[in-house]
Amino acid sequence: MNTPMARYVEQVMGMPISLALRGKHTRDARARSTWEAVVDELREVDRVFSTYRADSFISRLGRDELSLPDCPPEVSEVLEIANQAVEISDGAFSVYLPDPAGGLVFDPSGVVKGWAVERAARRYLDGLEDTDYCLSAGGDMVARTLDPTTEPWCIGIEDPLDPNRLVATVPVRTGAVATSGTSHRGTHIIDPRTGRPAYGIASVTVVGDSLTWVDIEATAAFAQGAQALSWLRTRPRRTGLIVWADGQTTLFDTSHPVGQGAG
């Protein structure tokens, strides 16, 4: 018997947000109200964190019009995650990015998307009984599958050198997938340590248990260019794929104990 499934789509935070549901709650009132709660949550995140809105708390904080205690508590939460990300990446990830004039721009967007989507899923989608979900934001996603006999979600990884084809598909039961690359926004990821774009790399996909962290790690790895693979091998319980600038691909897997995992 086919499992009921439904898909919802909305434009929020400047990107397409989509939700796939399968199981008990798909097109009923509970499913629709939960989707509305997710969208409302992400709109509120945009109100607080958008760097494109002059009146957002983050924009005002960046202009020194506010201090951190004046902001909602989630701002401190995001900035604490950012501090951890700077530490684990040796500065390859930062919320202070070089601008063309030689200064620094305060932009925590590299933390906010994954954190916000993961938080919305935990707050609302986890409460849908007997229902699997896959919540995607701009191609990064968090998924849940309750029944181990159910087919996993099949996540396509776009070829950064040819967006009309997939370079791989990833089966995910419960976990998160994030990709950083050049296919839609060009060379936009800067190594904060040098102020220059990364080179030699086209995309990085990281799979793990937390969308907040795999999104950060994909960005930090991409910024490191040729050193992406060696750094990703230091991150525990991760799998993924690197597409190099010449089209070659490398899989990595740190999900097994030392001596038993794939390289």
Side-chain angles (χ1 to χ4, degrees):
M1 182 171 62
N2 291 331
T3 302
M5 182 176 291
R7 187 167 183 262
Y8 301 83
V9 181
E10 187 68 70
Q11 191 80 11
V12 190
M13 297 170 59
M15 69 186 79
I17 307 293
S18 66
L19 171 65
L21 296 174
R22 65 185 184 192
K24 180 178 180 180
H25 298 288
T26 55
R27 299 183 186 277
D28 60 6
R30 180 76 181 278
R32 290 191 295 272
S33 65
T34 300
W35 168 238
E36 289 169 2
V38 167
V39 170
D40 287 345
E41 168 99 354
L42 296 179
R43 284 179 174 149
E44 177 61 17
V45 167
D46 191 59
R47 187 185 73 82
V48 173
F49 287 100
S50 176
T51 58
Y52 296 97
R53 297 176 58 156
D55 63 342
S56 73
F57 281 92
I58 279 297
S59 293
R60 296 170 67 194
L61 184 64
R63 295 193 302 265
D64 293 325
E65 295 175 5
L66 297 174
S67 62
L68 196 54
D70 299 321
C71 298
E74 54 263 37
V75 174
S76 293
E77 180 181 345
V78 163
L79 295 183
E80 176 55 33
I81 294 170
N83 289 336
Q84 296 174 40
V86 172
E87 183 176 352
I88 67 166
S89 67
D90 293 326
F93 183 94
S94 179
V95 296
Y96 294 96
L97 303 176
D99 67 14
L104 292 175
V105 175
F106 176 55
D107 184 355
S109 302
V111 177
V112 171
K113 181 175 72 169
W115 167 84
V117 172
E118 182 175 10
R119 187 176 75 155
R122 300 291 175 255
R123 282 186 168 183
Y124 301 107
L125 296 173
D126 278 1
L128 287 176
E129 304 90 348
D130 302 320
T131 305
D132 298 340
Y133 64 77
C134 184
L135 179 63
S136 170
D140 299 335
M141 58 204 68
V142 59
R144 179 182 76 171
T145 306
L146 295 172
D147 186 343
T149 66
T150 302
E151 288 292 316
W153 297 100
C154 190
I155 311 301
I157 307 302
E158 190 176 86
D159 185 343
L161 305 178
D162 181 3
N164 294 315
R165 65 182 291 268
L166 297 179
V167 70
T169 56
V170 179
V172 176
R173 291 191 177 278
T174 298
V177 183
T179 299
S180 290
T182 59
S183 59
H184 290 286
R185 297 176 60 191
T187 306
H188 67 286
I189 299 175
I190 303 296
D191 185 341
R193 300 168 299 183
T194 65
R196 296 191 295 270
Y199 63 91
I201 194 166
S203 74
V204 179
T205 297
V206 183
V207 183
D209 57 352
S210 165
L211 183 56
T212 302
W213 283 103
V214 297
D215 193 17
I216 287 169
E217 290 162 2
T219 301
F222 190 100
Q224 296 180 63
Q227 302 305 312
L229 181 60
S230 60
W231 181 73
L232 284 166
R233 284 175 169 161
T234 71
R235 303 301 300 145
R237 299 179 301 280
R238 299 290 188 259
T239 59
L241 174 72
I242 297 174
V243 181
W244 303 102
D246 62 2
Q248 297 295 309
T249 60
T250 302
L251 295 168
F252 62 91
D253 185 349
T254 65
S255 61
H256 301 280
V258 174
Q260 300 181 25

